[in-house]
Coordinates of all heavy atoms in Angstrom, one line a residue:
M181 N 0.8 -1.2 0.0 CA 0.0 0.0 0.0 C 0.9 1.2 0.0 O 1.9 1.3 0.6 CB -0.9 0.0 1.2 CG -1.8 1.1 1.3 SD -3.1 0.8 2.5 CE -4.1 2.2 2.3
A182 N 0.5 2.3 -0.7 CA 1.2 3.5 -0.8 C 1.2 4.3 0.5 O 0.3 4.1 1.3 CB 0.6 4.4 -1.9
D183 N 2.2 5.1 0.6 CA 2.4 5.9 1.8 C 1.3 7.0 1.8 O 1.3 8.0 1.0 CB 3.8 6.5 1.9 CG 4.0 7.5 3.0 OD1 3.2 7.5 4.0 OD2 5.0 8.2 3.0
E184 N 0.3 6.9 2.7 CA -0.8 7.9 2.7 C -0.3 9.3 3.1 O -0.8 10.3 2.6 CB -1.9 7.4 3.7 CG -2.7 6.2 3.2 CD -3.4 6.4 1.9 OE1 -4.0 7.5 1.7 OE2 -3.4 5.5 1.1
N185 N 0.7 9.4 4.0 CA 1.2 10.7 4.4 C 1.9 11.4 3.2 O 1.8 12.6 3.1 CB 2.1 10.6 5.6 CG 1.4 10.2 6.9 OD1 0.2 10.6 7.0 ND2 2.1 9.5 7.8
G186 N 2.6 10.6 2.4 CA 3.2 11.1 1.2 C 2.2 11.7 0.2 O 2.4 12.7 -0.3
L187 N 1.1 10.9 0.1 CA 0.0 11.4 -0.8 C -0.6 12.6 -0.3 O -0.9 13.6 -1.0 CB -1.0 10.3 -1.0 CG -2.3 10.7 -1.8 CD1 -1.9 11.1 -3.2 CD2 -3.3 9.5 -1.9
M188 N -0.9 12.7 1.0 CA -1.5 13.9 1.6 C -0.6 15.1 1.4 O -1.1 16.2 1.1 CB -1.8 13.7 3.1 CG -2.4 14.8 3.8 SD -4.0 15.3 3.1 CE -5.1 14.2 4.0
G189 N 0.7 14.9 1.6 CA 1.6 16.0 1.4 C 1.6 16.5 0.0 O 1.6 17.7 -0.3
A190 N 1.6 15.5 -1.0 CA 1.6 15.9 -2.4 C 0.3 16.7 -2.7 O 0.3 17.7 -3.5 CB 1.7 14.7 -3.2
L191 N -0.8 16.2 -2.2 CA -2.1 16.9 -2.5 C -2.2 18.3 -1.8 O -2.7 19.2 -2.4 CB -3.3 16.0 -1.9 CG -3.5 14.7 -2.7 CD1 -4.6 13.9 -2.0 CD2 -3.8 14.9 -4.1
N192 N -1.6 18.4 -0.7 CA -1.5 19.7 0.0 C -0.7 20.7 -0.8 O -1.0 21.8 -0.9 CB -1.0 19.6 1.4 CG -2.0 19.1 2.4 OD1 -3.2 19.2 2.1 ND2 -1.6 18.4 3.4
Q193 N 0.4 20.2 -1.4 CA 1.3 21.0 -2.2 C 0.5 21.5 -3.4 O 0.6 22.7 -3.8 CB 2.5 20.3 -2.7 CG 3.6 20.2 -1.7 CD 4.8 19.4 -2.2 OE1 4.7 18.7 -3.1 NE2 5.9 19.7 -1.5
L194 N -0.3 20.7 -4.0 CA -1.1 21.1 -5.2 C -2.1 22.2 -4.8 O -2.3 23.2 -5.5 CB -1.9 20.0 -5.8 CG -1.1 18.9 -6.5 CD1 -2.0 17.7 -6.9 CD2 -0.4 19.5 -7.7
T195 N -2.7 22.1 -3.6 CA -3.6 23.1 -3.1 C -2.9 24.4 -2.8 O -3.5 25.5 -3.0 CB -4.3 22.6 -1.8 OG1 -4.9 21.3 -2.1 CG2 -5.3 23.6 -1.3
D196 N -1.7 24.4 -2.3 CA -1.0 25.6 -1.9 C -0.3 26.3 -3.1 O 0.0 27.5 -3.0 CB 0.1 25.2 -0.9 CG -0.4 24.7 0.4 OD1 -1.6 25.0 0.7 OD2 0.3 24.0 1.1
Q197 N -0.2 25.7 -4.3 CA 0.4 26.3 -5.4 C -0.6 27.2 -6.1 O -1.8 26.9 -6.1 CB 0.9 25.2 -6.4 CG 2.0 24.4 -5.9 CD 2.4 23.3 -6.9 OE1 1.8 23.1 -7.9 NE2 3.4 22.6 -6.6
P198 N -0.1 28.3 -6.7 CA -1.0 29.1 -7.5 C -1.5 28.3 -8.7 O -0.8 27.4 -9.2 CB -0.2 30.3 -8.0 CG 1.2 29.9 -7.8 CD 1.2 28.8 -6.8
P199 N -2.7 28.5 -9.2 CA -3.2 27.8 -10.4 C -2.3 28.0 -11.6 O -1.8 29.1 -11.8 CB -4.6 28.3 -10.6 CG -4.7 29.6 -9.9 CD -3.6 29.6 -8.8
A200 N -2.2 27.0 -12.4 CA -1.4 27.1 -13.7 C -2.2 28.0 -14.6 O -3.4 28.0 -14.7 CB -1.2 25.7 -14.3
P201 N -1.5 28.9 -15.4 CA -2.2 29.7 -16.4 C -2.9 28.9 -17.4 O -2.4 27.8 -17.8 CB -1.0 30.6 -17.0 CG 0.2 29.9 -16.6 CD 0.0 29.0 -15.4
R202 N -4.0 29.3 -17.8 CA -4.8 28.6 -18.8 C -4.7 29.3 -20.2 O -4.6 30.5 -20.2 CB -6.3 28.6 -18.4 CG -6.5 27.8 -17.2 CD -8.0 27.7 -16.8 NE -8.8 28.6 -17.6 CZ -10.0 29.0 -17.2 NH1 -10.5 28.6 -16.1 NH2 -10.7 29.9 -18.0
G203 N -4.6 28.6 -21.2 CA -4.6 29.1 -22.5 C -3.3 29.7 -22.9 O -2.3 29.8 -22.1
P204 N -3.2 30.2 -24.2 CA -2.0 30.8 -24.7 C -1.8 32.2 -24.1 O -2.7 32.8 -23.6 CB -2.2 30.9 -26.2 CG -3.7 30.9 -26.3 CD -4.2 30.1 -25.2
R205 N -0.5 32.6 -24.1 CA -0.2 33.9 -23.5 C -0.7 35.0 -24.4 O -0.8 34.9 -25.7 CB 1.4 34.0 -23.5 CG 1.8 35.2 -22.8 CD 2.9 34.9 -21.8 NE 3.3 36.1 -21.1 CZ 4.3 36.8 -21.4 NH1 5.1 36.5 -22.4 NH2 4.5 38.0 -20.8
C206 N -1.1 36.1 -23.9 CA -1.6 37.3 -24.6 C -0.5 37.8 -25.6 O 0.6 38.2 -25.2 CB -2.0 38.4 -23.7 SG -2.5 39.9 -24.4
T207 N -0.9 37.9 -26.9 CA 0.0 38.4 -27.9 C 0.4 39.8 -27.7 O 1.5 40.2 -27.8 CB -0.6 38.2 -29.3 OG1 -1.0 36.8 -29.4 CG2 0.4 38.6 -30.4
V208 N -0.6 40.6 -27.3 CA -0.4 42.1 -27.1 C 0.6 42.3 -25.9 O 1.5 43.1 -26.0 CB -1.7 42.8 -26.9 CG1 -1.5 44.3 -26.6 CG2 -2.6 42.7 -28.2
S209 N 0.4 41.5 -24.9 CA 1.2 41.6 -23.7 C 2.7 41.3 -24.0 O 3.6 41.9 -23.6 CB 0.7 40.7 -22.6 OG 1.6 40.8 -21.5
T210 N 2.8 40.2 -24.9 CA 4.1 39.8 -25.3 C 4.8 40.9 -26.1 O 6.0 41.1 -25.9 CB 4.0 38.5 -26.1 OG1 3.4 37.5 -25.3 CG2 5.4 38.0 -26.6
I211 N 4.1 41.5 -27.0 CA 4.6 42.6 -27.8 C 5.0 43.8 -26.9 O 6.1 44.4 -27.0 CB 3.6 43.1 -28.8 CG1 3.4 42.0 -29.9 CG2 4.0 44.4 -29.5 CD1 2.2 42.2 -30.9
L212 N 4.1 44.2 -25.9 CA 4.5 45.3 -25.0 C 5.8 45.0 -24.3 O 6.5 46.0 -24.0 CB 3.3 45.5 -24.0 CG 2.1 46.2 -24.6 CD1 0.9 46.0 -23.6 CD2 2.4 47.6 -24.8
E213 N 6.0 43.8 -23.9 CA 7.3 43.4 -23.2 C 8.5 43.7 -24.0 O 9.6 43.9 -23.4 CB 7.2 42.0 -22.7 CG 6.2 41.8 -21.5 CD 6.2 40.4 -21.1 OE1 6.9 39.5 -21.6 OE2 5.4 40.1 -20.2
V214 N 8.5 43.5 -25.3 CA 9.7 43.7 -26.1 C 9.9 45.1 -26.6 O 11.0 45.4 -27.2 CB 9.7 42.7 -27.3 CG1 9.7 41.3 -26.7 CG2 8.7 42.9 -28.3
L215 N 8.9 46.0 -26.5 CA 9.0 47.3 -27.0 C 9.8 48.2 -26.0 O 9.8 47.9 -24.8 CB 7.6 47.9 -27.2 CG 6.8 47.3 -28.3 CD1 5.4 47.9 -28.2 CD2 7.4 47.4 -29.6
D216 N 10.5 49.2 -26.5 CA 11.1 50.2 -25.6 C 10.0 50.9 -24.8 O 8.8 50.9 -25.3 CB 12.0 51.2 -26.3 CG 11.2 52.1 -27.3 OD1 10.6 53.0 -26.8 OD2 11.2 51.8 -28.5
E217 N 10.3 51.5 -23.7 CA 9.3 52.1 -22.8 C 8.4 53.1 -23.5 O 7.2 53.2 -23.3 CB 9.9 52.7 -21.6 CG 9.0 53.1 -20.5 CD 8.0 52.0 -20.1 OE1 8.4 50.8 -19.9 OE2 6.8 52.3 -19.9
D218 N 9.0 54.0 -24.3 CA 8.2 55.1 -24.9 C 7.2 54.5 -25.9 O 6.0 54.9 -26.0 CB 9.1 56.1 -25.7 CG 9.9 57.0 -24.7 OD1 9.5 57.1 -23.5 OD2 11.0 57.5 -25.1
T219 N 7.7 53.5 -26.7 CA 6.8 52.9 -27.7 C 5.7 52.1 -27.0 O 4.5 52.1 -27.4 CB 7.6 52.0 -28.7 OG1 8.6 52.8 -29.2 CG2 6.7 51.5 -29.8
A220 N 6.0 51.4 -25.9 CA 5.1 50.6 -25.2 C 4.0 51.5 -24.6 O 2.8 51.2 -24.6 CB 5.8 49.8 -24.1
Q221 N 4.4 52.7 -24.0 CA 3.5 53.6 -23.5 C 2.5 54.2 -24.5 O 1.3 54.3 -24.3 CB 4.2 54.8 -22.7 CG 3.2 55.7 -22.0 CD 2.3 54.9 -21.0 OE1 2.8 54.1 -20.2 NE2 1.0 55.1 -21.1
K222 N 3.1 54.5 -25.7 CA 2.2 55.0 -26.8 C 1.2 53.9 -27.2 O 0.0 54.2 -27.4 CB 3.1 55.3 -28.0 CG 2.3 55.9 -29.2 CD 1.7 57.2 -28.9 CE 1.0 57.8 -30.1 NZ 0.3 59.0 -29.8
L223 N 1.6 52.6 -27.3 CA 0.7 51.6 -27.6 C -0.4 51.4 -26.5 O -1.5 51.3 -26.9 CB 1.5 50.2 -27.8 CG 0.6 49.0 -28.1 CD1 -0.3 49.2 -29.3 CD2 1.5 47.8 -28.3
R224 N 0.0 51.5 -25.3 CA -1.0 51.4 -24.2 C -2.0 52.5 -24.3 O -3.2 52.3 -24.1 CB -0.3 51.5 -22.8 CG 0.4 50.3 -22.4 CD 1.0 50.4 -21.0 NE 1.8 49.2 -20.7 CZ 3.2 49.3 -20.8 NH1 3.8 50.4 -21.2 NH2 3.9 48.2 -20.6
T225 N -1.5 53.8 -24.7 CA -2.5 54.9 -24.8 C -3.4 54.6 -26.0 O -4.6 54.9 -25.9 CB -1.6 56.2 -25.1 OG1 -0.8 56.4 -24.0 CG2 -2.5 57.4 -25.4
L226 N -2.9 54.1 -27.1 CA -3.8 53.8 -28.2 C -4.8 52.7 -27.9 O -5.9 52.7 -28.4 CB -2.9 53.4 -29.5 CG -2.2 54.6 -30.1 CD1 -1.2 54.1 -31.2 CD2 -3.1 55.7 -30.6
L227 N -4.3 51.7 -27.1 CA -5.2 50.6 -26.8 C -6.4 51.1 -26.0 O -7.5 50.5 -26.0 CB -4.5 49.5 -26.0 CG -3.5 48.7 -26.7 CD1 -2.6 47.9 -25.8 CD2 -4.2 47.7 -27.6
D228 N -6.2 52.2 -25.2 CA -7.3 52.8 -24.4 C -8.1 53.8 -25.1 O -9.0 54.4 -24.6 CB -6.7 53.3 -23.1 CG -6.2 52.2 -22.2 OD1 -6.7 51.1 -22.3 OD2 -5.3 52.5 -21.4
A229 N -7.7 54.1 -26.4 CA -8.4 55.2 -27.2 C -9.5 54.6 -28.0 O -9.2 53.8 -29.0 CB -7.4 55.9 -28.1
P230 N -10.8 54.9 -27.7 CA -11.9 54.2 -28.4 C -12.0 54.6 -29.9 O -12.5 53.9 -30.7 CB -13.1 54.7 -27.6 CG -12.7 55.9 -26.9 CD -11.2 55.8 -26.6
G231 N -11.4 55.7 -30.3 CA -11.4 56.2 -31.7 C -10.5 55.5 -32.6 O -10.6 55.6 -33.8
I232 N -9.6 54.7 -32.1 CA -8.6 53.9 -32.9 C -9.1 52.4 -32.8 O -9.3 51.8 -31.8 CB -7.2 54.0 -32.3 CG1 -6.8 55.4 -32.1 CG2 -6.2 53.2 -33.2 CD1 -6.6 56.2 -33.3
S233 N -9.3 51.8 -34.0 CA -9.9 50.5 -34.0 C -8.8 49.4 -33.8 O -7.6 49.7 -34.0 CB -10.5 50.2 -35.4 OG -9.5 50.0 -36.4
A234 N -9.2 48.3 -33.3 CA -8.3 47.1 -33.1 C -7.6 46.8 -34.4 O -6.5 46.4 -34.4 CB -9.1 45.9 -32.6
T235 N -8.3 46.9 -35.5 CA -7.7 46.6 -36.8 C -6.6 47.6 -37.2 O -5.5 47.1 -37.7 CB -8.8 46.6 -37.9 OG1 -9.8 45.7 -37.6 CG2 -8.2 46.4 -39.3
Q236 N -6.8 48.8 -36.9 CA -5.7 49.8 -37.1 C -4.5 49.5 -36.3 O -3.4 49.6 -36.8 CB -6.2 51.2 -36.8 CG -7.2 51.8 -37.8 CD -7.8 53.1 -37.3 OE1 -8.5 53.2 -36.3 NE2 -7.5 54.2 -38.1
I237 N -4.7 49.2 -35.0 CA -3.6 48.9 -34.2 C -2.9 47.6 -34.6 O -1.7 47.5 -34.7 CB -4.0 48.7 -32.7 CG1 -4.5 50.1 -32.2 CG2 -2.9 48.2 -31.8 CD1 -5.2 50.1 -30.9
A238 N -3.7 46.5 -35.0 CA -3.1 45.3 -35.4 C -2.3 45.5 -36.7 O -1.2 44.9 -36.9 CB -4.2 44.2 -35.6
N239 N -2.8 46.3 -37.6 CA -2.1 46.5 -38.9 C -0.8 47.3 -38.6 O 0.2 46.9 -39.2 CB -3.0 47.3 -39.8 CG -4.1 46.5 -40.4 OD1 -4.1 45.3 -40.4 ND2 -5.1 47.2 -41.0
A240 N -0.8 48.3 -37.8 CA 0.4 49.0 -37.5 C 1.5 48.1 -36.9 O 2.6 48.2 -37.2 CB 0.1 50.2 -36.6
L241 N 1.0 47.3 -35.9 CA 2.0 46.3 -35.3 C 2.5 45.3 -36.3 O 3.7 45.1 -36.4 CB 1.3 45.6 -34.1 CG 1.0 46.5 -32.9 CD1 0.1 45.8 -31.9 CD2 2.3 46.9 -32.2
S242 N 1.6 44.7 -37.1 CA 2.0 43.7 -38.0 C 2.9 44.3 -39.1 O 3.9 43.7 -39.5 CB 0.8 43.1 -38.7 OG 0.1 42.3 -37.7
D243 N 2.6 45.5 -39.6 CA 3.4 46.2 -40.6 C 4.9 46.5 -40.1 O 5.8 46.7 -40.9 CB 2.8 47.5 -41.1 CG 1.5 47.3 -41.9 OD1 1.3 46.1 -42.3 OD2 0.8 48.2 -42.1
N244 N 5.0 46.4 -38.8 CA 6.3 46.7 -38.2 C 6.9 45.5 -37.5 O 7.7 45.6 -36.6 CB 6.2 47.9 -37.2 CG 6.0 49.2 -38.0 OD1 7.0 49.8 -38.4 ND2 4.8 49.6 -38.1
G245 N 6.5 44.3 -37.9 CA 7.2 43.1 -37.5 C 6.6 42.4 -36.3 O 7.2 41.4 -35.8
H246 N 5.5 42.9 -35.8 CA 4.9 42.3 -34.6 C 3.5 41.7 -35.0 O 2.5 42.3 -35.0 CB 4.6 43.3 -33.5 CG 5.9 44.0 -33.0 ND1 6.8 43.4 -32.2 CD2 6.4 45.2 -33.4 CE1 7.8 44.3 -32.0 NE2 7.6 45.4 -32.7
R247 N 3.6 40.4 -35.3 CA 2.4 39.7 -35.9 C 1.3 39.6 -34.8 O 1.5 38.9 -33.8 CB 2.8 38.3 -36.4 CG 3.7 38.4 -37.6 CD 4.0 37.1 -38.2 NE 2.7 36.5 -38.6 CZ 2.6 35.2 -38.9 NH1 3.6 34.4 -39.0 NH2 1.4 34.7 -39.2
V248 N 0.2 40.2 -35.1 CA -1.0 40.1 -34.2 C -2.2 40.4 -35.1 O -2.1 41.1 -36.1 CB -0.9 41.1 -33.1 CG1 -0.9 42.5 -33.6 CG2 -1.9 40.9 -32.0
Q249 N -3.3 39.7 -34.7 CA -4.6 39.9 -35.4 C -5.5 40.8 -34.6 O -5.4 40.9 -33.4 CB -5.2 38.6 -35.7 CG -4.4 37.7 -36.7 CD -5.1 36.4 -37.0 OE1 -6.1 36.1 -36.4 NE2 -4.5 35.7 -37.9
A250 N -6.4 41.5 -35.3 CA -7.3 42.4 -34.7 C -8.1 41.8 -33.5 O -8.3 42.5 -32.5 CB -8.3 43.0 -35.7
P251 N -8.6 40.5 -33.6 CA -9.4 40.0 -32.5 C -8.5 39.9 -31.2 O -9.0 40.1 -30.1 CB -9.8 38.6 -33.0 CG -9.8 38.7 -34.5 CD -8.7 39.7 -34.8
A252 N -7.2 39.7 -31.4 CA -6.3 39.6 -30.2 C -6.2 41.0 -29.5 O -6.2 41.1 -28.3 CB -5.0 39.1 -30.6
V253 N -6.1 42.0 -30.4 CA -6.1 43.4 -29.9 C -7.4 43.7 -29.2 O -7.4 44.3 -28.1 CB -5.8 44.4 -31.0 CG1 -5.9 45.8 -30.5 CG2 -4.4 44.1 -31.6
A254 N -8.5 43.4 -29.8 CA -9.8 43.7 -29.2 C -10.0 42.9 -27.9 O -10.5 43.5 -26.9 CB -10.9 43.3 -30.2
R255 N -9.6 41.7 -27.8 CA -9.7 40.9 -26.6 C -8.8 41.5 -25.5 O -9.2 41.7 -24.3 CB -9.2 39.5 -26.8 CG -9.4 38.6 -25.6 CD -9.0 37.1 -25.9 NE -7.8 36.9 -26.7 CZ -7.8 36.5 -27.9 NH1 -8.9 36.3 -28.6 NH2 -6.7 36.4 -28.6
H256 N -7.6 42.0 -25.9 CA -6.7 42.6 -24.9 C -7.4 43.9 -24.4 O -7.3 44.3 -23.2 CB -5.4 43.0 -25.5 CG -4.4 43.5 -24.5 ND1 -3.7 42.8 -23.6 CD2 -4.1 44.8 -24.3 CE1 -3.0 43.6 -22.8 NE2 -3.2 44.8 -23.2
R257 N -8.1 44.6 -25.2 CA -8.7 45.9 -24.8 C -9.8 45.6 -23.8 O -10.2 46.5 -23.0 CB -9.4 46.6 -26.0 CG -8.3 47.3 -26.9 CD -9.0 47.9 -28.1 NE -8.4 49.2 -28.4 CZ -8.8 50.0 -29.4 NH1 -9.8 49.6 -30.2 NH2 -8.2 51.1 -29.6
R258 N -10.4 44.4 -23.8 CA -11.5 44.0 -22.9 C -10.9 43.4 -21.6 O -11.7 42.7 -20.9 CB -12.5 43.1 -23.6 CG -13.2 43.7 -24.7 CD -14.3 42.8 -25.2 NE -13.9 41.4 -25.5 CZ -13.5 41.0 -26.7 NH1 -13.5 41.8 -27.7 NH2 -13.1 39.7 -26.9
R259 N -9.6 43.5 -21.4 CA -9.0 42.8 -20.2 C -9.8 43.2 -18.9 O -10.2 44.3 -18.7 CB -7.5 43.2 -20.1 CG -7.2 44.6 -19.9 CD -5.7 44.9 -20.2 NE -5.4 46.3 -20.2 CZ -5.6 47.2 -21.2 NH1 -6.2 46.8 -22.3 NH2 -5.3 48.4 -21.0
G260 N -10.0 42.1 -18.2 CA -10.8 42.3 -16.9 C -12.2 41.9 -17.1 O -12.9 41.6 -16.1
A261 N -12.7 42.0 -18.3 CA -14.1 41.6 -18.6 C -14.2 40.1 -18.7 O -13.2 39.4 -19.0 CB -14.7 42.3 -19.8
S262 N -15.4 39.5 -18.6 CA -15.6 38.1 -18.7 C -15.2 37.5 -20.0 O -14.8 36.4 -20.1 CB -17.0 37.7 -18.4 OG -17.9 38.3 -19.3
N263 N -15.3 38.3 -21.1 CA -14.9 37.8 -22.4 C -13.6 38.5 -22.9 O -13.3 38.5 -24.1 CB -16.0 38.1 -23.4 CG -16.3 39.6 -23.6 OD1 -15.9 40.4 -22.8 ND2 -16.9 39.9 -24.7
G264 N -12.8 39.0 -22.0 CA -11.6 39.7 -22.3 C -10.3 39.0 -21.9 O -10.4 37.8 -21.5
C265 N -9.3 39.6 -22.1 CA -7.9 39.1 -21.8 C -7.8 39.0 -20.3 O -8.3 39.8 -19.6 CB -6.9 40.1 -22.4 SG -5.2 39.6 -22.2
R266 N -7.0 38.0 -19.9 CA -6.7 37.8 -18.5 C -5.4 38.5 -18.0 O -5.1 38.4 -16.8 CB -6.7 36.3 -18.2 CG -8.0 35.6 -18.3 CD -7.9 34.2 -17.9 NE -7.0 33.4 -18.7 CZ -7.3 32.7 -19.8 NH1 -8.5 32.6 -20.1 NH2 -6.4 32.1 -20.4
C267 N -4.7 39.0 -18.9 CA -3.4 39.6 -18.5 C -3.7 41.0 -17.8 O -4.7 41.6 -17.9 CB -2.5 39.8 -19.7 SG -2.8 41.1 -20.8
T268 N -2.6 41.5 -17.2 CA -2.8 42.7 -16.4 C -2.1 43.9 -17.0 O -2.1 45.0 -16.5 CB -2.2 42.5 -15.0 OG1 -0.9 42.1 -15.1 CG2 -3.1 41.5 -14.2
T269 N -1.4 43.7 -18.2 CA -0.7 44.8 -18.9 C -1.6 45.6 -19.8 O -2.6 45.2 -20.3 CB 0.5 44.3 -19.7 OG1 0.2 43.1 -20.3 CG2 1.7 44.2 -18.8

């Protein structure tokens, strides 16, 4: 028979660990991490500007070597909402 204390310890470790992230990493967050601070801040400003479409942002990023599609930009803009991105950037 297996060591019950060992199993209890292993199960407790699973409970104490933070949950593993679900799904793929946010593309927009990944892009923000590699940009210089001024460019990243400009992108954050545009992400919060309702007059600039997700398609416009995605096209500008893609045209400059950062492959991303408009739905990913739109999802990132909805971060915190039930149908939005889970990242915090």
Side-chain angles (χ1 to χ4, degrees):
M181 182 166 183
D183 177 14
E184 292 296 322
N185 288 331
L187 175 59
M188 181 61 85
L191 294 175
N192 284 335
Q193 282 181 337
L194 291 174
T195 304
D196 296 339
Q197 293 176 355
R202 295 182 347 202
R205 187 133 185 263
C206 171
T207 306
V208 175
S209 176
T210 302
I211 292 169
L212 283 165
E213 287 179 2
V214 300
L215 296 175
D216 65 78
E217 188 54 42
D218 290 340
T219 306
Q221 186 54 49
K222 181 64 174 180
L223 177 54
R224 286 184 189 98
T225 299
L226 291 174
L227 287 166
D228 292 336
I232 307 295
S233 73
T235 300
Q236 289 174 295
I237 294 170
N239 287 342
L241 290 168
S242 294
D243 290 347
N244 287 278
H246 302 283
R247 293 186 55 191
V248 64
Q249 295 181 353
V253 174
R255 182 176 46 253
H256 183 80
R257 285 178 141 180
R258 296 188 307 268
R259 59 198 175 279
S262 63
N263 65 341
C265 184
R266 290 185 300 267
C267 78
T268 57
T269 37

